[in-house]
């Protein structure tokens, strides 16, 4: 009953949207497609799950959200503290000690996992834990996002506007991952607001609130995507105001300036290399599977092939049966993570995390805190993030869908470049270079740090969206002949 009422209510809002270039039927059809993708997401993750993700995130997010919502019925004041990031660690231990994602990081209002829990916990007041109602709300958020993207680019495309609208909804990865109860719908909504603020035909008032809301959403949900976008904005500004007739000089100039800064400022080079090394190290450990045991000032990491040498205790702890070499993993982003020799007399230690090897795990070339190696890894990073998984990569059967989508996207991109190679204005070329810079930066970041192809597919959604938009941009009209 509640599901039907929420569906009717959100459908009414879609019906009331006024969108230049689209009819109400177009809007409602898009809404229907979004809901179907949300149902498809649930079917895959409950019936045929096997795409190589690290965890079944939606279940953990839902469980934690219901737990967080339950705080409101014990103390509404304490619930508000959690909602606005004013809680203490004692509050966490009292109310949320058994949650999975709430304690996943040191930050609070900048912790995107906690922010997803906050949003979902608010929806729980209506849903009472029914995940399909959450799917409706998050699908609605992403519908607004796709509408914003349509409005931003509808006057720059060479296909019929309706084809562009439905292509946005039928783009598999985009519609699939933005119909979930995870971070992607809200992150895409923030990105869409910013893109429309930059490229839409809007008043300054409309641009301003979109910039502010878009920035808040992207800071709250996957801030690294906002970072990649901000790194690309100088390309757009130089092309718009400096290199108006030779816009290709804009990304070249930005690249040269970055390389000079990277080579000249050792603190920047060392800090960036160290952080990426740590991110890669942690992600590879989780992807490989193994145990992280808490040891007061650090964690000890044991590989899966070392399990036979471990003594698992009934109270959730472990000791080693013989002398063994484990990894000492420091808290936060500290470095280094050294090998440490442990004896049977050491310990016991509490097991904090047990993981199995991800089905789509791949080995990455280790950065090892070497800035030179970081640069050398760029081709590998772009290849992994942009083109994998392939048919021969590890993972479930859904990798075939991902691979076919990649072929289709780059085929469409090639056609768009060829068809409009002589029919793009300087302004359109500048927009393309901005989007291309954004996608490449995001590909490199993902490829440097992510050894799980199932996660790569999810993380690269904004980059694939940028390439998808590039494929449609151009001045030469094109219509399908049926």
């Amino acid at each position: 009953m509640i599901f039907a009422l929420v569906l009717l209510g959100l459908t009414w809002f879609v019906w009331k949207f006024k969108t230049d270039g689209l009819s109400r039927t177009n809007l409602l059809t898009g809404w229907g497609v979004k809901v179907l993708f949300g149902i498809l997401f649930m079917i895959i993750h409950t019936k045929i799950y096997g795409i190589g993700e690290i965890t079944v995130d939606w279940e953990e997010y839902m469980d934690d959200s219901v737990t967080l919502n339950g705080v409101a019925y014990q103390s509404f004041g304490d619930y508000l503290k959690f909602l606005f990031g004013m809680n203490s660690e004692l509050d966490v231990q009292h109310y949320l000690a058994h949650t999975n994602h709430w304690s996943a990081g040191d930050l609070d209002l900048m912790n995107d996992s906690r922010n997803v829990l906050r949003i979902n916990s608010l929806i729980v007041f209506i849903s009472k834990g029914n995940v399909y109602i959450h799917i409706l709300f998050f699908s609605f958020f992403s519908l607004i996002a796709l509408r914003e993207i349509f409005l931003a680019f509808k006057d720059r495309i060479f296909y019929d506007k309706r084809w562009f609208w439905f292509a946005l909804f039928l783009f598999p990865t985009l519609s699939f991952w933005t119909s979930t109860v995870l971070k992607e719908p809200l992150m895409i909504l923030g990105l869409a607001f910013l893109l429309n603020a930059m490229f839409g035909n809007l008043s300054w008032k409309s641009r301003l609130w979109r910039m502010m809301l878009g920035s808040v959403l992207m800071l709250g949900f996957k801030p690294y995507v906002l970072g990649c976008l901000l790194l690309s904005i100088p390309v757009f500004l130089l092309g718009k105001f400096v290199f108006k007739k030779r816009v290709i000089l804009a990304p070249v100039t930005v690249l040269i300036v970055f390389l000079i800064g990277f080579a000249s400022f050792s603190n920047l080079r060392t800090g960036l290399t160290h952080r990426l090394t740590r991110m890669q190290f942690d992600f590879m450990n989780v992807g490989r599977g193994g145990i992280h045991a808490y040891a007061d000032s650090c964690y000890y990491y044991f590989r899966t092939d070392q399990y036979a040498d471990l003594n698992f205790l009934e109270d959730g702890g472990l000791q080693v049966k013989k002398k063994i070499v484990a990894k000492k993993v420091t808290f936060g982003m500290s470095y280094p993570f050294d090998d440490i020799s442990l004896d049977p007399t050491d310990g016991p230690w509490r097991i904090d995390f047990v993981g199995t090897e991800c089905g789509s795990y791949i080995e990455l070339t280790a950065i090892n805190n070497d800035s030179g190696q970081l640069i050398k890894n760029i081709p590998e990073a772009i290849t992994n993030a942009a083109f994998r998984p392939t048919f021969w990569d590890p993972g479930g059967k859904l990798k075939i869908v991902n691979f076919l989508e990649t072929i289709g996207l780059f085929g469409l991109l090639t056609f768009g470049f060829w068809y409009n190679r002589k029919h793009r204005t300087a302004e359109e070329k500048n927009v393309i270079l901005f989007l291309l810079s954004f996608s490449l930066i995001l590909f490199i970041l993902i490829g440097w740090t992510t050894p799980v192809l199932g996660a790569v597919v999810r993380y690269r959604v904004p980059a694939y969206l940028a390439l998808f938009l590039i494929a449609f941009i151009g001045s030469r009209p094109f219509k399908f002949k049926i």
Side-chain angles (χ1 to χ4, degrees), residues 224-225 228 232 381 385 436-448 459-464:
Y224 69 87
V225 179
C228 294
S232 308
L436 186 60
S437 300
F438 167 66
S439 62
L440 283 174
I441 293 171
L442 188 52
F443 281 144
I444 292 170
L445 179 60
I446 294 168
W448 268 337
Y459 298 163
R460 74 186 179 194
V461 168
Y464 262 33

Side-chain angles (χ1 to χ4, degrees), residues 118-392:
R118 290 181 172 104
I119 298 298
N120 275 297
S121 76
L122 290 170
I123 299 174
V124 170
F125 284 112
I126 299 172
S127 72
K128 303 304 179 183
N130 184 334
V131 67
Y132 287 96
I133 295 176
H134 292 252
I135 290 289
L136 288 179
F137 277 104
F138 278 74
S139 295
F140 182 73
F141 297 150
S142 62
L143 173 77
I144 298 173
L146 296 185
R147 179 177 176 269
E148 288 287 314
I149 292 169
F150 175 83
L151 292 172
F153 292 93
K154 66 183 179 67
D155 295 327
R156 293 180 171 86
I157 60 173
F158 62 93
Y159 289 94
D160 184 281
K161 289 179 175 58
R162 290 170 300 174
W163 285 108
F164 176 56
W165 171 251
F166 290 119
L168 282 170
F169 283 88
L170 294 174
F171 185 13
T173 294
L174 178 64
S175 270
F176 182 79
W177 285 113
T178 59
S179 299
T180 71
V181 294
L182 305 176
K183 305 166 190 175
E184 280 71 20
L186 295 161
M187 178 271 294
I188 286 292
L189 180 59
L191 177 61
F193 280 139
L194 289 177
L195 290 176
N196 199 12
M198 292 178 66
F199 304 122
N201 184 19
L202 303 169
S203 66
W204 278 107
K205 183 178 179 180
S206 296
R207 291 184 195 277
L208 182 61
W209 75 256
R210 281 177 169 84
M211 284 185 179
M212 294 176 62
L213 182 55
S215 298
V216 168
L217 284 169
M218 293 194 75
L219 277 171
F221 305 94
K222 299 208 172 184
Y224 69 87
V225 179
L226 177 61
C228 294
L229 191 72
L230 293 176
L231 289 174
S232 308
I233 286 180
V235 173
F236 175 73
L237 295 177
L238 286 173
K240 185 176 180 65
F241 298 109
V242 180
F243 305 111
K244 297 180 181 180
K245 295 183 178 180
R246 302 187 67 183
V247 292
I248 190 63
L249 293 177
V252 173
T253 302
V254 171
L255 179 61
I256 291 173
V257 170
F258 175 79
L259 290 176
I260 292 174
F262 188 77
S264 303
F265 297 98
S266 60
N267 288 339
L268 169 66
R269 183 173 64 253
T270 302
L272 178 63
T273 305
H274 159 65
R275 188 169 185 86
L276 291 168
T277 298
R278 180 58 196 252
M279 291 171 66
Q280 183 196 63
F281 174 83
D282 287 340
F283 212 154
M284 288 178 72
N285 278 354
V286 175
R288 288 173 179 147
I291 292 175
H292 286 76
Y294 179 72
D296 294 328
S297 61
C298 65
Y299 285 107
Y300 294 148
Y301 167 70
F302 301 93
R303 303 186 309 272
T304 55
D305 61 349
Q306 295 176 311
Y307 283 5
D309 299 325
L310 302 178
N311 184 23
F312 295 91
L313 307 177
E314 292 183 359
D315 63 356
L318 66 78
Q319 283 182 297
V320 297
K321 296 179 181 178
K322 63 179 184 179
K323 192 169 185 177
I324 193 174
V325 176
K327 279 286 186 184
K328 181 180 179 181
V329 182
T330 52
F331 296 138
M333 298 303 294
S334 301
Y335 186 86
F337 9 86
D338 297 322
D339 290 336
I340 184 168
S341 180
L342 301 174
D343 294 310
T345 55
D346 297 328
W349 308 285
R350 185 187 75 224
I351 297 174
D352 264 17
F353 177 79
V354 180
T356 56
E357 182 175 349
C358 297
S360 60
Y361 176 79
I362 59 172
E363 286 291 341
L364 301 181
T365 303
I367 300 170
N368 286 331
N369 233 34
D370 183 345
S371 57
Q373 188 63 54
L374 185 72
I375 300 299
K376 292 177 183 177
N377 284 6
I378 289 177
E380 175 188 88
I382 293 175
T383 301
N384 287 343
F387 302 109
R388 298 178 75 173
T390 60
F391 284 117
W392 49 87

